[in-house]
Amino acid sequence: MSGGGIAAWAPGSLAQCLFVPRSIALVGASGDAARASARPLRFLRQHGYAGRVVPVNPARPEVFGVPTAARVTDIDGPIDHAFVMTPAARVEDALRDCAAHGVPVVTVYTDGFAEAGPEGAAMQARLASLARGLGVRLLGPNCIGLINPVERIALTVNAALKAELPGSGTTAVVSQSGSMLGTLMSRGHARGLRFSRLVSTGNEADLAVGELVEMLADDDATRTILLFLETLRDAPRLAAAARRAQAAGKVVVACKLGRSDAGAALAVSHTGALAGSDAAVDAFLRDAGIVRVDLLESLLEAGPLLARGPSPRRTGPMRVAVVTTTGGGAAMVVDRLGSMGVVPAVPTPAFCAAMAAQGVTVRETPIVDLTMAVTPARYTAVLQGLFDADFCDAVLAVVGTSAQFEPALAVEPIVAAAGRGADPARRGTKPLAVFLAPQADASLALLAAEGIAAFRTPEACADALALALSGSQQRFA
C-alpha cells in the first residue's frame, strides 16, 4: 500500500476536495490573532499548505498580509473547499455564495445549531435542506475541521495545531468530538503514532461518520481507522463502510461514549443527537466487525496489534507466552487477561532445553522472568524462540525500568526480533504486545515507529491482546 495521498481519490472527487483541497476559501476569516477564526489561515501557512488560500472578509482588504475577497463569488478561479466561520445567522448566505461559485464541499465551524436546542435544530434542518438543494456537501455545523498530515493541511481551529504538526503515518481518525481530535493527535504523537487524516464531524447535518469511513477505506494513505463516537446517526452506512474497509485489509476501532446514563446525556447535549441503547450499539458494532474499546489508551494503542488481523481460531483457551523483566508488571497484564479467558502459556520441556542450549535458563512456569539475568542476547533468543513455539498463540513482552533508562537491554532486542527490519520468517504471524511499566516515552516512540504494538497501561495492553486473540470483536469493559 502506498502513502501517495490522493492516489486512490480522483481529482475533483468529494474525498479529494474534502481531505486534499487544492484551493481553500476561509469565510469569515478574522484579522484579530486572538480570535479562533484567525487560526485556520495561520495554521495552513505555519504547517506548509501548498495550495491557494483566500480569506473572505468584506470588512478588510487583507488578513495577515493575504488579500481578501468580499464574498466567495468574488474569488477568481475554482475553490475546492470552503471553511465557514460566520455567525449562525449568515451561514445560509455563505452556503448560497459557495454554491454559486461551484464550491463542492463546505465545512461549517459555526455553532448554535442542533446542540443549542429546538430552535437551533430547526435552523440546522433548514441548512441541510438548503445544501442538498444546492448540491453542496456539508461537514458540520459545529465542526472544528480536519487535519491532513500527509499533505500538510491543517484546516481547523483546533488549538493543538499551535504546536508542531506531526509527521505523516497510516492511522486515520474520525471523531464526533472536535476537541478530541487534538487530544488524540497530541497523545498519539507523544507515543510515536503518526496519522494520515484526522477529521471531526460536528453535528453531522450531512456528511457523517459512515461516509467518511467509506472514503478512508479507499485511501492509499490509510491502513487503520479510529473512531471516537458519541452517537450513531448513519448506522447502516457505517456498517457497510466498515466492511468495505476490512475488505481492503484495514481495521476499524471505535471508542463509543454513552455507557452510562450520564454519558449518554452529555453526548446529547454536545451534538444534539440521540445516543441510543448501549447494548444495541454493542451488538451493532460487533456485527459490523468494528472493534470496540472502552479506554482512550486502547483506541490509540490497539491499532497496530489489531491491524494484523485476528489469530487463527483454536479449541480451548487462548494462550499467551509472557517474557518479562518485571514480575509485578507482567502480573498486572496477566491478571486482566485471565478475567477475559486468556491464560499464560507454560513453556514445554523441549523449549526450556532449547533455551538452555543458548545460555538462557527458562523454567516450566507461566512467566519467563529475566529480571535478574537479562541481556540483549538472552531477551532476543527468548522472543524468537516463542515466535516459533507451538505452546502459545501470542507473545506478551513486559519491560521494567530498563525501558526508561537502559532500552538496549530489552526494548532494542524487541525491535531486533519484531521490528520492520526483522526477518518475517523468524517472527512468524503471532500477535506481539509490549507493555512498558515505567513512563518511557522514547522507548514507546521507538516501538511505534517499528510498527510494534506497545502500551502504557496494563489494562489497555490486556484488552487489545484479548481482542486480537478472540477475533470476536467483543467489547471488554
Side-chain angles (χ1 to χ4, degrees), residues 191 301 305 319-334 337 344-345 366-371 374 376 378-387 392-403 407 409-419 430-438 440 443-444 447 452-458 460-462 465 469:
R191 68 173 302 280
E301 298 178 343
L305 182 61
R319 307 159 304 172
V320 175
V322 184
V323 55
T324 184
T325 62
T326 165
M332 288 190 291
V333 184
V334 169
L337 283 170
I367 294 178
V368 179
D369 192 342
L370 300 178
T371 302
V374 64
R378 288 171 179 164
Y379 207 100
T380 302
V382 170
L383 275 180
Q384 291 178 335
L386 292 174
F387 290 151
C392 61
D393 306 298
V395 178
L396 167 65
V398 182
V399 186
T401 54
S402 66
L409 286 178
V411 175
E412 291 178 12
I414 294 172
V415 171
K430 289 179 185 175
L432 167 68
V434 180
F435 167 50
L436 304 184
S443 290
L444 202 65
L447 293 166
I452 298 170
F455 300 84
R456 283 184 286 198
T457 66
C461 183
L465 190 52
L469 284 168

Side-chain angles (χ1 to χ4, degrees), residues 329-362:
M332 288 190 291
V333 184
V334 169
D335 184 51
R336 188 170 177 90
L337 283 170
S339 70
M340 294 178 281
V342 180
V343 300
V346 177
T348 62
F351 180 83
C352 295
M355 289 296 100
Q358 299 184 59
V360 186
T361 300
V362 174

